[in-house]
Amino acid sequence: SDTLIEIPTQPLANNIFGTCSQISQPEGPVSMPLSGRTLYQIINVVPVRRWKELMRLLELKECEMERIEMDVAHFRERQYEMLRQWSQQQTASMESLYQALEIMNLTGLGEELKTNLLNHSNSLH
């Protein structure tokens, strides 16, 4: 009896968390592509111990955070990748970031970030 075993040619998405069977792609245009410089400025103002709290408030999926933690070794690069993933969501905006910082009682850091971004954009002109 020659039984054929079908081997899938496409790799299956890791679904160990049960909630992210597919990598979610934004539908329609990306709402706000952020520059790498902006992402690093955000990383620089947010305390490391509050990072995941910020990502949850920005509605980055828990499974996305866990996937990034498994795939990326260095913490700063994880932060960058999480922010990059968030910035590709349709709901992503600097306003939602500032609102999240306010909820976290980090309004001062939001002001610092606005100042840093404003100073950078002014230095380009």
Side-chain angles (χ1 to χ4, degrees):
S1 67
D2 292 341
T3 306
L4 293 176
I5 298 173
E6 199 170 306
I7 299 171
T9 56
Q10 294 292 329
L12 299 174
N14 286 343
N15 195 16
I16 59 174
F17 302 111
T19 51
C20 276
S21 58
Q22 292 181 320
I23 302 299
S24 55
Q25 293 295 326
E27 292 182 14
V30 172
S31 60
M32 60 163 238
L34 293 176
S35 71
R37 181 183 297 272
T38 300
L39 297 180
Y40 280 120
Q41 286 185 320
I42 296 167
I43 291 166
N44 289 340
V45 299
V46 177
V48 169
R49 68 185 186 283
R50 307 285 305 270
W51 187 258
K52 281 185 121 176
E53 179 184 355
L54 174 64
M55 289 296 98
R56 289 180 185 115
L57 288 171
L58 293 175
E59 299 181 354
L60 185 66
K61 292 178 184 175
E62 198 72 32
C63 61
E64 283 294 325
M65 287 190 280
E66 289 170 352
R67 180 189 59 77
I68 291 166
E69 286 175 339
M70 288 189 308
D71 291 349
V72 182
H74 297 289
F75 190 75
R76 190 166 167 86
E77 290 304 309
R78 288 178 187 169
Q79 290 175 296
Y80 184 91
E81 184 60 24
M82 286 179 194
L83 267 183
R84 197 183 66 74
Q85 287 290 322
W86 165 74
S87 72
Q88 292 176 354
Q89 296 175 6
Q90 280 196 318
T91 56
S93 69
M94 289 305 289
E95 191 54 42
S96 63
L97 177 73
Y98 295 134
Q99 287 172 354
L101 290 171
E102 191 174 325
I103 291 167
M104 295 168 67
N105 294 315
L106 298 176
T107 308
L109 296 181
E111 294 302 319
E112 181 184 334
L113 179 61
K114 284 180 190 177
T115 302
N116 292 347
L117 293 172
L118 186 63
N119 288 342
H120 174 68
S121 68
N122 287 343
S123 71
L124 295 177
H125 301 294

